[in-house]
Short mmCIF file of all heavy atoms in Angstrom, two decimals:
data_model
loop_
_atom_site.label_atom_id
_atom_site.label_comp_id
_atom_site.label_asym_id
_atom_site.label_seq_id
_atom_site.Cartn_x
_atom_site.Cartn_y
_atom_site.Cartn_z
N GLY A 19 -25.02 -14.10 -13.96
CA GLY A 19 -26.45 -14.38 -13.95
C GLY A 19 -27.19 -13.18 -13.38
O GLY A 19 -26.97 -12.05 -13.80
N ASP A 20 -28.02 -13.41 -12.36
CA ASP A 20 -28.76 -12.31 -11.76
C ASP A 20 -28.14 -11.87 -10.43
O ASP A 20 -28.79 -11.20 -9.64
CB ASP A 20 -30.23 -12.70 -11.57
CG ASP A 20 -30.41 -13.83 -10.58
OD1 ASP A 20 -29.44 -14.56 -10.30
OD2 ASP A 20 -31.54 -14.00 -10.08
N ILE A 21 -26.89 -12.22 -10.20
CA ILE A 21 -26.21 -11.89 -8.94
C ILE A 21 -25.06 -10.93 -9.21
O ILE A 21 -24.29 -11.10 -10.15
CB ILE A 21 -25.66 -13.16 -8.27
CG1 ILE A 21 -26.81 -14.10 -7.89
CG2 ILE A 21 -24.83 -12.82 -7.03
CD1 ILE A 21 -26.36 -15.44 -7.39
N LEU A 22 -24.95 -9.93 -8.35
CA LEU A 22 -23.79 -9.04 -8.33
C LEU A 22 -22.91 -9.47 -7.17
O LEU A 22 -23.37 -9.51 -6.03
CB LEU A 22 -24.23 -7.58 -8.15
CG LEU A 22 -23.09 -6.57 -7.88
CD1 LEU A 22 -22.13 -6.49 -9.05
CD2 LEU A 22 -23.67 -5.20 -7.56
N LEU A 23 -21.68 -9.81 -7.46
CA LEU A 23 -20.71 -10.19 -6.44
C LEU A 23 -19.75 -9.02 -6.25
O LEU A 23 -19.05 -8.63 -7.19
CB LEU A 23 -19.93 -11.43 -6.85
CG LEU A 23 -18.72 -11.81 -6.00
CD1 LEU A 23 -19.10 -12.09 -4.55
CD2 LEU A 23 -17.99 -13.00 -6.62
N LEU A 24 -19.74 -8.44 -5.05
CA LEU A 24 -18.84 -7.34 -4.72
C LEU A 24 -17.70 -7.85 -3.85
O LEU A 24 -17.94 -8.56 -2.88
CB LEU A 24 -19.57 -6.24 -3.94
CG LEU A 24 -20.47 -5.30 -4.67
CD1 LEU A 24 -21.08 -4.30 -3.69
CD2 LEU A 24 -19.75 -4.57 -5.77
N ASN A 25 -16.50 -7.44 -4.19
CA ASN A 25 -15.32 -7.72 -3.38
C ASN A 25 -14.81 -6.38 -2.86
O ASN A 25 -14.53 -5.48 -3.65
CB ASN A 25 -14.26 -8.41 -4.23
CG ASN A 25 -13.00 -8.73 -3.45
OD1 ASN A 25 -13.00 -8.80 -2.23
ND2 ASN A 25 -11.91 -8.94 -4.17
N VAL A 26 -14.70 -6.26 -1.53
CA VAL A 26 -14.41 -4.98 -0.90
C VAL A 26 -13.22 -5.10 0.06
O VAL A 26 -13.14 -6.05 0.84
CB VAL A 26 -15.64 -4.48 -0.10
CG1 VAL A 26 -15.39 -3.12 0.52
CG2 VAL A 26 -16.87 -4.45 -0.98
N TYR A 27 -12.32 -4.13 -0.01
CA TYR A 27 -11.24 -4.01 0.97
C TYR A 27 -11.49 -2.72 1.74
O TYR A 27 -11.21 -1.63 1.27
CB TYR A 27 -9.87 -4.00 0.28
CG TYR A 27 -8.73 -3.86 1.24
CD1 TYR A 27 -8.62 -4.72 2.33
CD2 TYR A 27 -7.78 -2.89 1.09
CE1 TYR A 27 -7.56 -4.60 3.23
CE2 TYR A 27 -6.73 -2.75 1.97
CZ TYR A 27 -6.62 -3.61 3.04
OH TYR A 27 -5.60 -3.49 3.94
N MET A 28 -12.05 -2.87 2.92
CA MET A 28 -12.43 -1.71 3.72
C MET A 28 -11.22 -1.15 4.46
O MET A 28 -10.32 -1.88 4.81
CB MET A 28 -13.52 -2.09 4.72
CG MET A 28 -14.79 -2.52 4.02
SD MET A 28 -16.19 -2.37 5.10
CE MET A 28 -17.48 -2.95 4.02
N PRO A 29 -11.22 0.15 4.69
CA PRO A 29 -10.08 0.77 5.39
C PRO A 29 -10.02 0.31 6.85
O PRO A 29 -11.03 0.01 7.46
CB PRO A 29 -10.36 2.27 5.32
CG PRO A 29 -11.67 2.44 4.67
CD PRO A 29 -12.22 1.12 4.27
N SER A 30 -8.82 0.30 7.35
CA SER A 30 -8.59 0.02 8.76
C SER A 30 -8.57 1.34 9.52
O SER A 30 -8.13 2.35 9.00
CB SER A 30 -7.26 -0.70 8.95
OG SER A 30 -6.96 -0.83 10.31
N GLY A 31 -9.05 1.33 10.74
CA GLY A 31 -9.05 2.54 11.56
C GLY A 31 -8.15 2.42 12.77
O GLY A 31 -8.30 3.16 13.73
N THR A 32 -7.20 1.50 12.71
CA THR A 32 -6.42 1.16 13.91
C THR A 32 -5.21 2.03 14.17
O THR A 32 -4.59 1.91 15.21
CB THR A 32 -5.97 -0.31 13.86
OG1 THR A 32 -5.14 -0.49 12.70
CG2 THR A 32 -7.15 -1.25 13.81
N THR A 33 -4.85 2.90 13.24
CA THR A 33 -3.60 3.66 13.42
C THR A 33 -3.80 5.03 14.04
O THR A 33 -2.86 5.81 14.10
CB THR A 33 -2.85 3.80 12.08
OG1 THR A 33 -3.69 4.46 11.15
CG2 THR A 33 -2.42 2.45 11.54
N GLY A 34 -5.01 5.32 14.49
CA GLY A 34 -5.22 6.60 15.17
C GLY A 34 -6.52 7.26 14.78
O GLY A 34 -7.26 6.78 13.92
N PRO A 35 -6.79 8.40 15.39
CA PRO A 35 -8.05 9.11 15.17
C PRO A 35 -8.30 9.51 13.72
O PRO A 35 -9.44 9.47 13.24
CB PRO A 35 -7.94 10.34 16.07
CG PRO A 35 -6.88 10.01 17.07
CD PRO A 35 -5.96 9.03 16.42
N GLU A 36 -7.26 9.92 13.01
CA GLU A 36 -7.44 10.34 11.62
C GLU A 36 -7.91 9.17 10.75
O GLU A 36 -8.83 9.31 9.95
CB GLU A 36 -6.13 10.91 11.08
CG GLU A 36 -6.26 11.50 9.70
CD GLU A 36 -4.97 12.15 9.21
OE1 GLU A 36 -4.31 12.85 10.00
OE2 GLU A 36 -4.62 11.92 8.05
N ARG A 37 -7.28 8.01 10.92
CA ARG A 37 -7.68 6.83 10.14
C ARG A 37 -9.06 6.33 10.57
O ARG A 37 -9.84 5.85 9.76
CB ARG A 37 -6.66 5.70 10.29
CG ARG A 37 -5.37 5.94 9.52
CD ARG A 37 -5.58 6.06 8.04
NE ARG A 37 -6.12 4.87 7.43
CZ ARG A 37 -6.61 4.79 6.21
NH1 ARG A 37 -6.60 5.83 5.43
NH2 ARG A 37 -7.09 3.67 5.75
N GLN A 38 -9.35 6.44 11.86
CA GLN A 38 -10.67 6.03 12.34
C GLN A 38 -11.75 6.93 11.74
O GLN A 38 -12.80 6.45 11.33
CB GLN A 38 -10.74 6.06 13.87
CG GLN A 38 -12.04 5.54 14.44
CD GLN A 38 -12.29 4.08 14.11
OE1 GLN A 38 -11.37 3.27 14.11
NE2 GLN A 38 -13.53 3.73 13.82
N ALA A 39 -11.48 8.21 11.64
CA ALA A 39 -12.42 9.15 11.02
C ALA A 39 -12.62 8.80 9.54
O ALA A 39 -13.75 8.83 9.03
CB ALA A 39 -11.94 10.59 11.19
N PHE A 40 -11.52 8.46 8.86
CA PHE A 40 -11.61 8.07 7.45
C PHE A 40 -12.45 6.81 7.30
O PHE A 40 -13.30 6.70 6.42
CB PHE A 40 -10.21 7.85 6.86
CG PHE A 40 -10.22 7.46 5.42
CD1 PHE A 40 -10.44 8.40 4.43
CD2 PHE A 40 -10.01 6.14 5.04
CE1 PHE A 40 -10.45 8.03 3.08
CE2 PHE A 40 -10.03 5.76 3.71
CZ PHE A 40 -10.25 6.71 2.73
N LYS A 41 -12.23 5.84 8.19
CA LYS A 41 -13.00 4.61 8.15
C LYS A 41 -14.50 4.89 8.36
O LYS A 41 -15.34 4.34 7.65
CB LYS A 41 -12.50 3.62 9.19
CG LYS A 41 -13.25 2.31 9.15
CD LYS A 41 -12.74 1.37 10.19
CE LYS A 41 -13.35 0.00 10.01
NZ LYS A 41 -12.77 -0.76 8.95
N MET A 42 -14.82 5.74 9.32
CA MET A 42 -16.22 6.06 9.59
C MET A 42 -16.85 6.78 8.38
O MET A 42 -18.01 6.53 8.04
CB MET A 42 -16.35 6.89 10.86
CG MET A 42 -15.92 6.15 12.12
SD MET A 42 -16.69 4.53 12.34
CE MET A 42 -18.38 5.00 12.66
N GLN A 43 -16.08 7.64 7.73
CA GLN A 43 -16.56 8.30 6.51
C GLN A 43 -16.85 7.24 5.45
O GLN A 43 -17.89 7.29 4.78
CB GLN A 43 -15.50 9.30 6.02
CG GLN A 43 -15.83 9.96 4.72
CD GLN A 43 -14.67 10.81 4.20
OE1 GLN A 43 -13.73 11.13 4.91
NE2 GLN A 43 -14.74 11.16 2.93
N TRP A 44 -15.92 6.30 5.27
CA TRP A 44 -16.09 5.21 4.31
C TRP A 44 -17.34 4.40 4.63
O TRP A 44 -18.13 4.10 3.75
CB TRP A 44 -14.86 4.31 4.30
CG TRP A 44 -15.16 2.93 3.81
CD1 TRP A 44 -15.40 1.83 4.57
CD2 TRP A 44 -15.32 2.51 2.45
NE1 TRP A 44 -15.69 0.75 3.77
CE2 TRP A 44 -15.64 1.14 2.47
CE3 TRP A 44 -15.22 3.16 1.22
CZ2 TRP A 44 -15.86 0.41 1.31
CZ3 TRP A 44 -15.44 2.43 0.07
CH2 TRP A 44 -15.76 1.07 0.11
N LEU A 45 -17.53 4.04 5.91
CA LEU A 45 -18.68 3.21 6.28
C LEU A 45 -20.00 3.92 5.96
O LEU A 45 -20.95 3.27 5.49
CB LEU A 45 -18.60 2.83 7.76
CG LEU A 45 -17.51 1.82 8.11
CD1 LEU A 45 -17.40 1.66 9.62
CD2 LEU A 45 -17.73 0.49 7.42
N GLY A 46 -20.06 5.21 6.19
CA GLY A 46 -21.25 5.97 5.82
C GLY A 46 -21.50 5.95 4.33
O GLY A 46 -22.62 5.73 3.86
N PHE A 47 -20.42 6.17 3.57
CA PHE A 47 -20.52 6.12 2.11
C PHE A 47 -20.96 4.74 1.65
O PHE A 47 -21.86 4.59 0.82
CB PHE A 47 -19.18 6.50 1.46
CG PHE A 47 -19.16 6.20 0.00
CD1 PHE A 47 -19.69 7.09 -0.91
CD2 PHE A 47 -18.65 5.00 -0.47
CE1 PHE A 47 -19.72 6.80 -2.27
CE2 PHE A 47 -18.67 4.69 -1.82
CZ PHE A 47 -19.20 5.60 -2.73
N PHE A 48 -20.31 3.71 2.19
CA PHE A 48 -20.57 2.34 1.74
C PHE A 48 -22.00 1.91 2.06
O PHE A 48 -22.65 1.23 1.25
CB PHE A 48 -19.55 1.37 2.34
CG PHE A 48 -19.58 0.02 1.71
CD1 PHE A 48 -19.14 -0.16 0.41
CD2 PHE A 48 -20.04 -1.07 2.41
CE1 PHE A 48 -19.17 -1.41 -0.19
CE2 PHE A 48 -20.08 -2.33 1.83
CZ PHE A 48 -19.64 -2.50 0.53
N TYR A 49 -22.51 2.32 3.19
CA TYR A 49 -23.88 2.01 3.56
C TYR A 49 -24.84 2.56 2.50
O TYR A 49 -25.74 1.85 2.03
CB TYR A 49 -24.21 2.59 4.94
CG TYR A 49 -25.65 2.39 5.33
CD1 TYR A 49 -26.08 1.17 5.84
CD2 TYR A 49 -26.57 3.42 5.18
CE1 TYR A 49 -27.41 0.98 6.19
CE2 TYR A 49 -27.90 3.23 5.53
CZ TYR A 49 -28.32 2.01 6.03
OH TYR A 49 -29.63 1.84 6.38
N GLU A 50 -24.66 3.82 2.11
CA GLU A 50 -25.53 4.43 1.09
C GLU A 50 -25.32 3.76 -0.28
O GLU A 50 -26.27 3.56 -1.03
CB GLU A 50 -25.27 5.93 1.00
CG GLU A 50 -25.79 6.70 2.20
CD GLU A 50 -27.29 6.53 2.41
OE1 GLU A 50 -28.06 6.53 1.41
OE2 GLU A 50 -27.70 6.40 3.58
N TYR A 51 -24.08 3.43 -0.58
CA TYR A 51 -23.76 2.75 -1.84
C TYR A 51 -24.53 1.43 -1.94
O TYR A 51 -25.17 1.14 -2.95
CB TYR A 51 -22.25 2.53 -1.91
CG TYR A 51 -21.77 1.74 -3.08
CD1 TYR A 51 -21.84 2.23 -4.38
CD2 TYR A 51 -21.21 0.47 -2.89
CE1 TYR A 51 -21.39 1.49 -5.45
CE2 TYR A 51 -20.76 -0.27 -3.96
CZ TYR A 51 -20.85 0.24 -5.23
OH TYR A 51 -20.40 -0.50 -6.30
N VAL A 52 -24.50 0.65 -0.87
CA VAL A 52 -25.19 -0.63 -0.87
C VAL A 52 -26.71 -0.44 -0.90
O VAL A 52 -27.42 -1.17 -1.57
CB VAL A 52 -24.75 -1.49 0.34
CG1 VAL A 52 -25.63 -2.73 0.49
CG2 VAL A 52 -23.29 -1.90 0.18
N ARG A 53 -27.19 0.55 -0.18
CA ARG A 53 -28.63 0.85 -0.21
C ARG A 53 -29.09 1.13 -1.64
O ARG A 53 -30.14 0.67 -2.08
CB ARG A 53 -28.92 2.07 0.67
CG ARG A 53 -29.72 1.69 1.90
CD ARG A 53 -30.08 2.86 2.73
NE ARG A 53 -31.14 3.62 2.06
CZ ARG A 53 -31.41 4.88 2.31
NH1 ARG A 53 -30.72 5.55 3.19
NH2 ARG A 53 -32.38 5.49 1.69
N ASN A 54 -28.30 1.90 -2.38
CA ASN A 54 -28.63 2.20 -3.78
C ASN A 54 -28.54 0.95 -4.65
O ASN A 54 -29.33 0.78 -5.58
CB ASN A 54 -27.74 3.30 -4.33
CG ASN A 54 -28.07 4.64 -3.72
OD1 ASN A 54 -29.20 4.91 -3.35
ND2 ASN A 54 -27.06 5.50 -3.59
N LEU A 55 -27.57 0.08 -4.37
CA LEU A 55 -27.45 -1.16 -5.14
C LEU A 55 -28.70 -2.02 -4.99
O LEU A 55 -29.09 -2.72 -5.93
CB LEU A 55 -26.23 -1.97 -4.69
CG LEU A 55 -24.87 -1.49 -5.16
CD1 LEU A 55 -23.78 -2.37 -4.58
CD2 LEU A 55 -24.79 -1.48 -6.68
N ARG A 56 -29.30 -1.98 -3.83
CA ARG A 56 -30.50 -2.79 -3.60
C ARG A 56 -31.64 -2.37 -4.51
O ARG A 56 -32.53 -3.17 -4.81
CB ARG A 56 -30.93 -2.68 -2.14
CG ARG A 56 -29.96 -3.40 -1.22
CD ARG A 56 -30.41 -3.37 0.18
NE ARG A 56 -31.59 -4.24 0.29
CZ ARG A 56 -32.25 -4.42 1.40
NH1 ARG A 56 -31.90 -3.77 2.49
NH2 ARG A 56 -33.28 -5.22 1.44
N ASN A 57 -31.63 -1.13 -4.99
CA ASN A 57 -32.64 -0.67 -5.94
C ASN A 57 -32.41 -1.26 -7.33
O ASN A 57 -33.34 -1.40 -8.11
CB ASN A 57 -32.66 0.85 -6.03
CG ASN A 57 -33.07 1.50 -4.74
OD1 ASN A 57 -33.85 0.95 -3.97
ND2 ASN A 57 -32.52 2.67 -4.46
N GLU A 58 -31.15 -1.58 -7.64
CA GLU A 58 -30.79 -2.07 -8.97
C GLU A 58 -30.68 -3.59 -9.03
O GLU A 58 -30.86 -4.18 -10.09
CB GLU A 58 -29.45 -1.47 -9.40
CG GLU A 58 -29.43 0.04 -9.47
CD GLU A 58 -28.03 0.57 -9.66
OE1 GLU A 58 -27.21 -0.11 -10.31
OE2 GLU A 58 -27.74 1.67 -9.16
N HIS A 59 -30.31 -4.21 -7.92
CA HIS A 59 -30.03 -5.65 -7.91
C HIS A 59 -30.80 -6.32 -6.77
O HIS A 59 -30.65 -5.93 -5.62
CB HIS A 59 -28.53 -5.91 -7.70
CG HIS A 59 -27.68 -5.21 -8.70
ND1 HIS A 59 -27.47 -5.69 -9.96
CD2 HIS A 59 -26.99 -4.05 -8.62
CE1 HIS A 59 -26.69 -4.86 -10.63
NE2 HIS A 59 -26.39 -3.84 -9.84
N GLN A 60 -31.56 -7.31 -7.14
CA GLN A 60 -32.30 -8.02 -6.10
C GLN A 60 -31.39 -8.98 -5.35
O GLN A 60 -31.61 -9.25 -4.18
CB GLN A 60 -33.47 -8.77 -6.72
CG GLN A 60 -34.51 -7.81 -7.26
CD GLN A 60 -35.87 -8.43 -7.26
OE1 GLN A 60 -36.03 -9.62 -7.12
NE2 GLN A 60 -36.88 -7.59 -7.40
N ARG A 61 -30.40 -9.49 -6.04
CA ARG A 61 -29.51 -10.47 -5.42
C ARG A 61 -28.07 -10.00 -5.55
O ARG A 61 -27.59 -9.76 -6.66
CB ARG A 61 -29.69 -11.82 -6.09
CG ARG A 61 -31.11 -12.35 -5.98
CD ARG A 61 -31.29 -13.63 -6.71
NE ARG A 61 -30.48 -14.65 -6.04
CZ ARG A 61 -30.14 -15.79 -6.60
NH1 ARG A 61 -30.52 -16.07 -7.82
NH2 ARG A 61 -29.43 -16.68 -5.95
N PHE A 62 -27.39 -9.88 -4.41
CA PHE A 62 -25.96 -9.60 -4.46
C PHE A 62 -25.28 -10.17 -3.23
O PHE A 62 -25.90 -10.44 -2.21
CB PHE A 62 -25.62 -8.13 -4.69
CG PHE A 62 -26.15 -7.16 -3.67
CD1 PHE A 62 -25.40 -6.81 -2.56
CD2 PHE A 62 -27.39 -6.56 -3.85
CE1 PHE A 62 -25.88 -5.90 -1.64
CE2 PHE A 62 -27.87 -5.65 -2.94
CZ PHE A 62 -27.12 -5.32 -1.83
N VAL A 63 -23.98 -10.37 -3.38
CA VAL A 63 -23.13 -10.89 -2.31
C VAL A 63 -22.01 -9.88 -2.11
O VAL A 63 -21.43 -9.41 -3.08
CB VAL A 63 -22.53 -12.27 -2.69
CG1 VAL A 63 -21.55 -12.75 -1.63
CG2 VAL A 63 -23.63 -13.29 -2.93
N ILE A 64 -21.74 -9.57 -0.85
CA ILE A 64 -20.62 -8.68 -0.53
C ILE A 64 -19.63 -9.49 0.30
O ILE A 64 -19.99 -10.05 1.33
CB ILE A 64 -21.07 -7.46 0.29
CG1 ILE A 64 -22.13 -6.67 -0.47
CG2 ILE A 64 -19.86 -6.57 0.61
CD1 ILE A 64 -22.78 -5.57 0.35
N CYS A 65 -18.41 -9.56 -0.18
CA CYS A 65 -17.38 -10.24 0.60
C CYS A 65 -16.11 -9.38 0.57
O CYS A 65 -16.04 -8.40 -0.16
CB CYS A 65 -17.10 -11.63 0.06
SG CYS A 65 -16.38 -11.67 -1.57
N GLY A 66 -15.16 -9.75 1.37
CA GLY A 66 -13.91 -9.02 1.38
C GLY A 66 -13.31 -8.93 2.76
O GLY A 66 -13.68 -9.67 3.67
#
């Protein structure tokens, strides 16, 4: 319908500084990704 349903498996940062840095990089990317989605979709659900 008019809803975008996103299913996301986010990285874990628990195995050390390198993985934590990767997770933080992902979170920055994902934040911008979702911000852009808001321009295209008025209604969406993010789960995962």
Side-chain angles (χ1 to χ4, degrees):
D20 65 341
I21 297 172
L22 170 63
L23 170 61
L24 283 180
N25 180 21
V26 182
Y27 179 52
M28 297 201 180
S30 173
T32 60
T33 59
E36 186 176 317
R37 286 299 298 168
Q38 185 63 38
F40 180 77
K41 182 180 188 77
M42 296 308 292
Q43 175 187 345
W44 156 262
L45 289 172
F47 169 83
F48 192 69
Y49 176 80
E50 289 300 320
Y51 174 68
V52 170
R53 249 183 74 201
N54 289 330
L55 283 178
R56 290 183 70 182
N57 296 328
E58 300 170 32
H59 305 280
Q60 293 207 345
R61 300 177 66 198
F62 58 92
V63 175
I64 302 171
C65 66

